[in-house]
Amino acid sequence: MNSFWAVFKRELKSYFATPLAYVFLVIFLVAAGYLTFNLEKFFELRQADMQTFFVNLPWLMIFMVPATAMRLWAEERKVGSVELLCTLPITITQAVLGKFFAAWIFLGIALALTFPMVLTVAYLGNPDGGLIAAGYVGSFLMAGSFLAIGCFFSALSKNQVIAFVLSAVACAILAFAGRPSMLNYLSTFLPGGLVSAIGTMSLQEHFASLQRGVVRFKDLAYFVVLIVGWVAACTVVLDERKAS
Amino acid sequence: MIEVKELRRSFGPVVAVDGISFSVDKGQVLGLLGPNGAGKTTAMRMITCYIRPDSGTASVCGHDIRRDPIGVRRSLGYLAENSPAYGEMTVGGFLNFICDVRRIKGADRKKALDRVVPMCSIDSVYHQTIETLSKGYKRRVGLAQALIHDPQVLILDEPTDGLDPNQKHDVRQLITSMGKDKCIIISTHILEEVEAICSRTIIVARGKVLVDSTPKQLKEQHKVSLEEIFRKVTKMKKSA
């Protein structure tokens, strides 16, 4: 077996060896349900689609994804097991990718467990399957982007709380800098070009277009660049700091 | 089998390892001796490719630590200080993970586990999670991890630190029995350990090699106990 798979397997198993996975899944699913049914009043809208579910997902993920990511490297460094991992015949890239993908798949499991929502919508009406699929793809990519950011800050700081706060703030900026209200405010003192640059760099626009069922190359490329960039930065930072 | 040339590494203004050179052959057990903060751990971390040297290099079984770190790590077993491991895993799960990474499969894996588990006497805790183990058992799990691929070169950072006298004795016997056909470096500041198991000893302080000799020779030369020699050598340099 490849070293990448060894790390991947160990990491994914470790989520379920502790209460972490179960606590995370329960809270994520309850919160996702609450936001959809209570905050967005799903039943009163009388629309058989998942708009109300996806629209609040960024809010939830800003907290939940950094909570998964914060332990990735901070814990290894604190406990010292990073010395074990980095003296096994493994490259640092394999180790970073193994852990990243394990966490991403874990978040994928959390998203997949929201399937009763799909069943509900299908039972109540005739939803557009493609729209729902695109929404899930967008959510999964958004989770991956937030995770890559969290992964980076987890490698930066040995302290899990610091890693959590920094990555939650970074995710929030990325997600909400592009909201119309924010862009309006920015346009009062920034030149127009800069404001639209911030708008396109923000995750909001790309996630929203996937939510509407439009799968454009530039949106997918945006997420891929985001993930690759932050994971690469994580590798560099970890290589520098693992022993300090 | 281990060739260290002018290794140097500093952390900010502190020079941890200041140009040390030595070589170790098969069948030798080298004791790296020195006071706390002498640079023993840093030197070992460079040889195992955990941290990069500022200058100088080393090679393990012909693999250069700068050019082929994966080759180096493949050919050696390393027990780091405090034997770090994944606390939530069981001993068996942990050793299987190490086998996964080291690509020991099928019948070979079974053979490796059957060899290493009784050797380190961890049969009784095989299904326990590592975080529930005592210090002695944790250390032995770390040792099992370092031995599972039957490496030619072993690097052990304070392997008996924190163990009770019986456990110390067991680990020393294990090292002596392996010493005949492997190349072993252990670091320690316990002097009787050096006398008991090492065929050669290097005394380092403030990042430099001060003495490179055998425990026997040292005692014959100075006609005093190893402890006195250690004090004399490491303190002499401080005042100079």
Side-chain angles (χ1 to χ4, degrees):
Chain A
M1 188 163 47
N2 185 306
S3 318
F4 163 80
W5 284 109
V7 176
F8 175 84
K9 201 176 87 179
R10 194 210 74 76
E11 189 69 21
L12 194 57
K13 260 193 197 163
S14 86
Y15 282 103
F16 294 95
T18 58
L20 181 94
Y22 306 101
V23 170
F24 179 90
L25 290 175
V26 167
I27 292 181
F28 177 77
L29 294 173
V30 168
Y34 175 82
L35 289 175
T36 311
F37 289 99
N38 289 53
L39 206 73
E40 291 291 327
K41 313 249 181 283
F42 172 77
F43 288 120
E44 285 163 39
L45 285 173
R46 308 188 69 79
Q47 273 181 0
D49 65 21
M50 290 188 56
Q51 199 62 31
T52 49
F53 170 75
F54 288 124
V55 79
N56 281 309
L57 219 45
W59 281 108
L60 194 54
M61 288 206 173
I62 282 170
F63 295 102
M64 295 305 270
V65 177
T68 341
M70 67 182 189
R71 53 176 284 283
L72 281 179
W73 290 106
E75 193 182 26
E76 291 255 358
R77 286 178 59 204
K78 192 124 202 166
V79 176
S81 50
V82 66
E83 185 167 0
L84 173 84
L85 192 63
C86 292
T87 51
L88 288 171
I90 264 183
T91 64
I92 208 137
T93 318
Q94 282 171 334
V96 168
L97 288 179
K99 273 175 159 283
F100 173 77
F101 278 104
W104 201 9
I105 293 299
F106 175 69
L107 292 172
I109 293 173
L111 273 176
L113 285 177
T114 60
F115 72 92
M117 189 65 217
V118 183
L119 297 182
T120 310
V121 173
Y123 176 75
L124 292 174
N126 261 326
D128 180 347
L131 203 61
I132 292 175
Y136 270 111
V137 169
S139 307
F140 188 57
L141 287 171
M142 180 173 68
S145 315
F146 286 176
L147 187 66
I149 293 171
C151 201
F152 170 80
F153 284 110
S154 177
L156 200 64
S157 169
K158 248 186 201 176
N159 186 317
Q160 294 199 31
V161 178
I162 294 177
F164 172 79
V165 172
L166 288 178
S167 38
V169 168
C171 293
I173 291 173
L174 192 68
F176 297 128
R179 293 229 149 176
S181 56
M182 191 62 177
L183 289 180
N184 271 340
Y185 168 68
L186 288 177
S187 63
T188 55
F189 58 92
L190 284 179
L194 208 55
V195 173
S196 69
I198 290 172
T200 41
M201 271 195 285
S202 161
L203 196 134
Q204 185 64 30
E205 191 185 300
H206 303 277
F207 181 61
S209 87
L210 279 167
Q211 240 183 80
R212 287 194 299 271
V214 189
V215 182
R216 291 181 301 186
F217 174 73
K218 72 169 189 178
D219 296 324
L220 297 181
Y222 170 83
F223 285 109
V224 170
V225 168
L226 205 62
I227 291 170
V228 171
W230 284 97
V231 169
C234 171
T235 311
V236 172
V237 164
L238 191 70
D239 203 22
E240 288 285 310
R241 295 192 163 226
K242 63 187 177 197
S244 62
Chain B
M1 296 183 99
I2 301 179
E3 206 56 69
V4 178
K5 277 178 234 138
E6 287 295 315
L7 270 189
R8 189 184 305 269
R9 169 77 200 217
S10 51
F11 296 101
V14 184
V15 182
V17 172
D18 193 2
I20 62 168
S21 307
F22 59 85
S23 64
V24 196
D25 295 320
K26 192 174 166 170
Q28 278 190 334
V29 180
L30 171 72
L32 214 50
L33 207 61
N36 285 327
K40 303 182 297 266
T41 299
T42 308
M44 288 182 151
R45 284 178 168 175
M46 285 192 281
I47 299 171
T48 55
C49 308
Y50 181 54
I51 51 181
R52 267 187 289 268
D54 293 339
S55 67
T57 187
S59 70
V60 177
C61 297
H63 304 283
D64 188 271
I65 58 164
R66 283 168 180 273
R67 266 169 284 156
D68 185 13
I70 298 295
V72 170
R73 292 172 188 166
R74 210 169 274 149
S75 50
L76 61 75
Y78 175 46
L79 174 67
E81 209 175 358
N82 303 323
S83 58
Y86 294 103
E88 82 280 358
M89 295 180 99
T90 63
V91 174
F94 178 65
L95 292 178
N96 272 300
F97 163 65
I98 302 292
C99 286
D100 281 347
V101 175
R102 292 199 176 274
R103 297 179 195 179
I104 306 170
K105 289 175 247 182
D108 286 346
R109 175 176 304 197
K110 198 177 171 305
K111 231 163 54 190
L113 288 172
D114 285 346
R115 181 177 55 86
V116 105
V117 170
M119 197 159 133
C120 301
S121 353
I122 46 173
D123 326 49
S124 59
V125 295
Y126 191 76
H127 298 288
Q128 234 168 293
T129 53
I130 293 174
E131 61 198 355
T132 63
L133 298 182
S134 68
K135 208 169 180 179
Y137 272 117
K138 263 186 202 158
R139 191 59 51 95
R140 279 185 265 172
V141 170
L143 209 54
Q145 164 275 125
L147 292 170
I148 202 150
H149 53 302
D150 199 15
Q152 284 303 297
V153 173
L154 264 180
I155 296 183
L156 311 171
D157 199 350
E158 301 192 353
T160 59
D161 184 45
L163 301 189
D164 71 35
N166 292 337
Q167 294 167 333
K168 271 185 191 162
H169 180 76
D170 291 347
V171 170
R172 282 175 198 165
Q173 264 192 333
L174 189 63
I175 294 173
T176 315
S177 70
M178 290 184 305
K180 290 175 203 98
D181 47 20
K182 289 189 198 307
C183 160
I184 304 178
I185 301 184
I186 69 163
S187 84
T188 181
H189 42 237
I190 307 167
L191 294 153
E192 78 236 28
E193 195 158 288
V194 176
E195 283 190 271
I197 56 177
C198 297
S199 56
R200 205 175 125 204
T201 174
I202 285 182
I203 301 182
V204 287
R206 288 171 300 284
K208 282 192 163 62
V209 174
L210 302 181
V211 172
D212 184 348
S213 180
T214 67
K216 222 169 157 191
Q217 240 177 5
L218 268 180
K219 277 170 79 175
E220 275 169 13
Q221 258 173 22
H222 296 262
K223 306 248 181 275
V224 283
S225 75
L226 214 53
E227 204 177 314
E228 258 172 81
I229 300 168
F230 178 81
R231 259 203 306 272
K232 221 165 86 185
V233 169
T234 52
K235 283 207 172 142
M236 185 174 69
K237 278 281 168 176
K238 203 176 268 175
S239 55

